[in-house]
Amino acid sequence: MSDPHPARTEPLRIDLRSDTVTTPTPHMRQAMAEALVGDDVYAEDPTVNELQQEAARLLGFEAGLFMPSGTMTNQVAIAVHTQRGQEVICAEGSHIYEWELGMMAAFSGVVPRFVEAPRGVPDPEGVRRAIRRSIHQSPSGMISLEDTHNKAGGTVLPLDVLAGVREVADQEGLPLHLDGARMMNAAAAQGVAPREIARHFDSVSLCLSKGLGAPVGSVLLGSRAFIAGAHRYRKMMGGGMRQAGILAAAGLIALREGPALLPEDHRRARELAHALMGAGYAVDLDTVQTNMVYATIPQAQAKSDAWAAQGLLANALDVDRVRFVLHHQISDELLVRATEIIAGK
Ligand SMILES: *Cc1c(COP(=O)(O)O)cnc(C)c1O
């Protein structure tokens, strides 16, 4: 018989390209096999409903909606919060614009307005200055923050900044969305309950398939009325899944068991940062706050190709920048081997 898990027989592979590369744990596979399911487009999948309710409870919202990806949860949120011709105020480098293929324009007819954000952190007064009301300009429709901020290095937004932007949003009457793909990393890094972050927002997008380890899925959280609106746009985008409880079952395990593993990823990221510096590569240690390390590496693509040939995978994101992302399937042993490859041993 052929091996049902051929990946396990492959040669050494230390995959630090992203935390999306995690594969489902045995516990997840068991839960998937045993999941109760129904037709989720009719809201009749008990496991999806359980996941949505549990995520909503955890983050302090009335309701949640399960979707295949974080791009979809973000873009559905934008569709619900905005009207065509408006602007979405967001930190420079935000995933909702940089890596979501112009979807805010293509689907919702809105454009981004970036706010300066050193190390991913915008100044609440900078957000206020970006707000537009004049009849000669496209009006502001919503504000969106990203925590942790991916492109800035997985950096954490301090809670007082969240409170400051919340105050601006309230004063200006604008909805405030969180692209919280990795908000569990932000909570772990600050040692706070996730709802201490979520409580500042009208809606939150949380990825289950990043560091939390689920194979597929994100959840959008908000008020009951907001989620009712989100249902319609999810279906328009083709995100109405049927017996999705198979996926939600893994998502529930990710939500329950994933967060406890994140501090170890963060510790290993710092160790990797020091190893990279030891090998002569520059790293801004102040940005190494969670599970990512961005290193300055000349001829990044050639270097990452050479490392890949030895089994170490990392993403060259620029001519001289390589991103390494830690996740729960990188053990201390694999990390040691990675640092040896980086050191040229
Ligand atoms: C990964 C990610 C998303 C969602 O990505 P998908 O691949 O569509 O699930 C959204 N925001 C941030 C910051 C991300 O890192």
Side-chain angles (χ1 to χ4, degrees):
M1 237 177 83
S2 66
D3 183 343
H5 299 294
R8 291 182 190 165
T9 64
E10 278 177 5
L12 176 76
R13 210 168 104 115
I14 309 167
D15 197 342
L16 302 181
R17 287 173 302 170
S18 177
D19 46 12
T20 57
V21 302
T22 51
T23 53
T25 61
H27 192 187
M28 284 179 191
R29 288 198 182 262
Q30 187 195 340
M32 293 169 83
E34 293 169 0
L36 296 175
V37 296
D39 191 328
D40 181 49
V41 170
Y42 293 102
E44 286 173 5
D45 187 300
T47 311
V48 170
N49 291 341
E50 187 182 352
L51 171 64
Q52 291 171 170
Q53 284 157 13
E54 193 163 318
R57 236 186 348 261
L58 182 70
L59 298 183
F61 287 99
E62 285 176 356
L65 194 59
F66 184 53
M67 302 193 204
S69 73
T71 297
M72 193 182 286
T73 44
N74 277 332
Q75 295 301 327
V76 164
I78 291 171
V80 179
H81 284 312
T82 62
Q83 291 167 11
R84 302 183 73 76
Q86 290 185 328
E87 289 186 344
V88 176
I89 297 173
C90 55
E92 57 191 353
S94 288
H95 194 285
I96 57 165
Y97 178 71
E98 292 284 342
W99 285 321
E100 296 185 10
L101 299 95
M103 187 61 166
M104 71 165 74
F107 190 74
S108 295
V110 294
V111 288
R113 175 163 298 275
F114 294 120
V115 173
E116 253 182 65
R119 297 201 172 111
V121 182
D123 169 15
E125 287 313 309
V127 170
R128 192 193 302 278
R129 281 194 299 275
I131 294 170
R132 261 136 232 276
R133 300 268 179 226
S134 142
I135 57 154
H136 305 289
Q137 296 170 316
S138 51
S140 307
M142 67 182 283
I143 303 167
S144 179
L145 300 182
E146 186 174 313
D147 190 13
T148 64
H149 192 293
N150 183 339
K151 207 172 177 213
T155 51
V156 175
L157 273 54
L159 296 176
D160 62 331
V161 169
L162 303 187
V165 176
R166 173 76 261 172
E167 204 179 310
V168 171
D170 283 342
Q171 288 164 353
E172 303 290 337
L174 292 174
L176 179 57
H177 172 72
L178 174 65
D179 178 353
R182 295 186 182 83
M183 68 162 291
M184 292 301 183
N185 293 85
Q190 293 171 106
V192 299
R195 67 160 68 204
E196 287 306 307
I197 295 171
R199 70 187 182 90
H200 297 290
F201 296 90
D202 298 295
S203 57
V204 170
S205 159
L206 168 69
C207 285
L208 303 166
S209 62
K210 301 275 167 82
L212 301 185
V216 177
S218 294
V219 191
L220 182 62
L221 292 316
S223 68
R224 253 179 230 107
F226 171 83
I227 292 297
H231 259 280
R232 173 168 158 246
Y233 291 114
R234 181 183 72 168
K235 192 73 166 68
M236 284 174 79
M237 284 189 194
M241 299 185 284
R242 300 295 177 173
Q243 284 71 34
I246 297 281
L247 301 173
L252 273 166
I253 307 281
L255 197 61
R256 290 169 187 164
E257 299 179 2
L261 305 173
L262 300 176
E264 285 289 89
D265 298 343
H266 298 179
R267 170 183 62 79
R268 292 189 184 104
R270 285 193 299 276
E271 287 179 22
L272 179 64
H274 285 288
L276 282 158
M277 292 166 74
Y281 302 114
V283 176
D284 177 359
L285 274 182
D286 289 341
T287 66
V288 184
Q289 300 172 9
T290 58
N291 67 329
M292 294 186 186
V293 184
Y294 281 81
T296 304
I297 296 179
Q299 291 161 342
Q301 190 60 57
K303 196 76 206 175
S304 84
D305 289 347
W307 285 334
Q310 299 173 73
L312 172 62
L313 306 183
N315 267 337
L317 290 180
D318 216 331
V319 286
D320 65 349
R321 232 155 81 101
V322 178
R323 188 186 73 172
F324 303 82
V325 186
L326 279 294
H327 53 79
H328 73 93
Q329 283 165 342
I330 300 299
S331 61
D332 285 327
E333 291 71 29
L334 288 179
L335 183 64
V336 167
R337 185 62 202 128
T339 60
E340 287 169 356
I341 293 170
I342 288 164
K345 289 186 212 152

